[in-house]
Amino acid sequence: TPVSVVLADSLEQNPSNDGDVDEALEWLKEQQNADGGFSDGFSPESSVSATVDVIIALVAGDEDAGLIQLADGVSPVVFLYKEVQADHVEGIGTVAKVATAVIAVGLDPTDFGGRDLIGELEALYDADTGSYGGSIFDQALVLLALANADRDVALGAVDFLLDYQTEDGAWSFAGDTAENAGDTNTTALVIQALAAAGQEAQVTTALDYLRGVQNEDGGWPYQNPSDFGTETDANSTALVLEAIEAVGQTAAEWQVGAADPLSALLALQNDSGSFSFQASFPGDNALATIQAIPAVAGISLADLPTVETSADPEMATTPPPTTIPEAGGSAVPPIGGVAALITGLLLVVVGYWLTRNRRQISP
């Protein structure tokens, strides 16, 4: 059944999950490094992409990211400011992610750390191709940043994404349109980007693709079919939940038997408040937790709320060192059996999993 057909009205929307979000945020705050940033879980040093995703998670939980700081008073907002000020923020997807986070905390992305992040993105647009010069994932991140900044999104940029849609309705990170090349993570992000650009009518076949690869527990893997397994993981399920939210649907409309995507995601939450990557990889997982929080809170990247920060990043005028400072917070538990490629958002088991935007896209 096409997902454009709404399921029975008797399905009720899931109740508030504020408690689950609060528990996850409390665990997450304990992972902050001395420089104010957060690790992505692959190395102890703070990652710009992961820190962006933490800020989005904090905003999703209605928290002031400027108040999240250790004894020296450095918040993730100040960490980002210093990194931008020192020109450590590079790459199309990363610039777009930082711009989005700046907007979410009520600051000006056209004047942050001495840079006009939105202007930089707009200057990259190629009117002949509709591309901003990066991957499909990067293109989607740019559209999200521009839309959240209330900038017009060129129809050519939308057409560029549609040109790389596979026959089954999906998108792949690198733009491969071969059969079964698409993945749930890139598809979910593109759906959010198209929704943010006012192009919800263009996502019907993409939603049908997601319906077709949904697991019986209500969640999603990175790809299906896949040589690396199709077990539900927190990151993929969270991204698809955000896409569902972006098009005005609920988790209940995606119910499979007695389960739905939200219940599948919450099944991976640990007693500590953190999330596991998969049931087969139990334990505290930083990136899974960071990415799960907005989805559990019912937030989409297509229409982020704003929680104005109390931080004054302009007071942090001393540029950071040219080398990444040593992390000073508690160590983030490693992600067993997982390797990163996309910053902040894509994973696949046994070295194939792509994290969003290091996903560069995350963070």
Side-chain angles (χ1 to χ4, degrees), residues 26-52:
E26 288 307 309
W27 180 87
L28 190 59
K29 292 173 192 176
E30 295 175 357
Q31 315 310 315
Q32 188 176 24
N33 286 332
D35 58 9
F38 288 80
S39 164
D40 57 12
F42 298 100
S43 62
E45 293 82 11
S46 293
S47 156
V48 168
S49 187
T51 302
V52 165

Side-chain angles (χ1 to χ4, degrees), residues 125 132 142-147 151-158 193 196-197 199:
Y125 182 66
Y132 288 91
V142 173
L143 265 62
L144 286 166
L146 295 178
R151 297 295 183 95
D152 291 333
V153 174
L155 288 179
V158 171
Q199 300 291 325

Side-chain angles (χ1 to χ4, degrees), residues 149-177:
D150 293 326
R151 297 295 183 95
D152 291 333
V153 174
L155 288 179
V158 171
D159 291 338
F160 177 85
L161 288 174
L162 296 176
D163 286 344
Y164 284 91
Q165 190 172 19
T166 64
E167 287 190 8
D168 60 3
W171 281 272
S172 69
F173 173 70
D176 187 354
T177 58

Side-chain angles (χ1 to χ4, degrees), residues 34-295:
D35 58 9
F38 288 80
S39 164
D40 57 12
F42 298 100
S43 62
E45 293 82 11
S46 293
S47 156
V48 168
S49 187
T51 302
V52 165
D53 286 346
V54 169
I55 289 175
I56 298 301
L58 289 165
V59 169
D62 197 28
E63 293 212 22
D64 177 359
L67 298 180
I68 310 306
Q69 51 192 249
L70 299 178
D72 57 4
V74 182
S75 71
V77 177
V78 172
F79 169 81
L80 282 188
Y81 186 89
K82 288 186 174 184
E83 292 295 291
V84 171
Q85 187 181 52
D87 287 331
H88 291 169
V89 174
E90 300 177 332
I92 300 165
T94 304
V95 172
K97 285 191 69 176
V98 171
T100 301
V102 171
I103 295 166
V105 297
L107 298 176
D108 184 1
T110 68
D111 184 15
F112 187 77
R115 291 171 59 179
D116 177 357
L117 301 175
I118 297 298
E120 291 178 21
L121 294 173
E122 291 178 326
L124 295 172
Y125 182 66
D126 184 337
D128 292 333
T129 64
S131 172
Y132 288 91
S135 67
I136 299 300
F137 216 82
D138 289 334
Q139 183 88 357
L141 286 171
V142 173
L143 265 62
L144 286 166
L146 295 178
N148 278 292
D150 293 326
R151 297 295 183 95
D152 291 333
V153 174
L155 288 179
V158 171
D159 291 338
F160 177 85
L161 288 174
L162 296 176
D163 286 344
Y164 284 91
Q165 190 172 19
T166 64
E167 287 190 8
D168 60 3
W171 281 272
S172 69
F173 173 70
D176 187 354
T177 58
E179 185 178 4
N180 296 326
D183 65 80
T184 61
N185 290 229
T186 307
T187 301
L189 192 71
V190 173
I191 288 172
Q192 293 181 75
L194 291 175
Q199 300 291 325
E200 292 91 340
Q202 303 287 354
V203 305
T204 301
T205 56
L207 293 172
D208 289 341
Y209 158 77
L210 292 174
R211 177 76 71 185
V213 297
Q214 186 178 14
N215 285 335
E216 292 183 358
D217 64 1
W220 280 271
Y222 175 70
Q223 278 183 319
N224 188 354
S226 171
D227 293 337
F228 301 95
T230 58
E231 182 180 355
T232 291
D233 71 81
N235 306 72
S236 299
T237 303
L239 273 170
V240 176
L241 272 168
E242 291 176 5
I244 291 171
E245 176 72 24
V247 297
Q249 297 184 17
T250 68
E253 293 176 61
W254 291 70
Q255 188 164 341
V256 179
D260 64 32
L262 184 57
S263 67
L265 181 57
L266 290 174
L268 294 171
Q269 189 167 23
N270 303 310
D271 291 341
S272 66
S274 72
F275 283 76
S276 297
F277 168 58
Q278 291 176 329
S280 296
F281 291 91
D284 300 337
N285 184 302
L287 200 55
T289 305
I290 293 169
Q291 295 177 352
I293 291 171

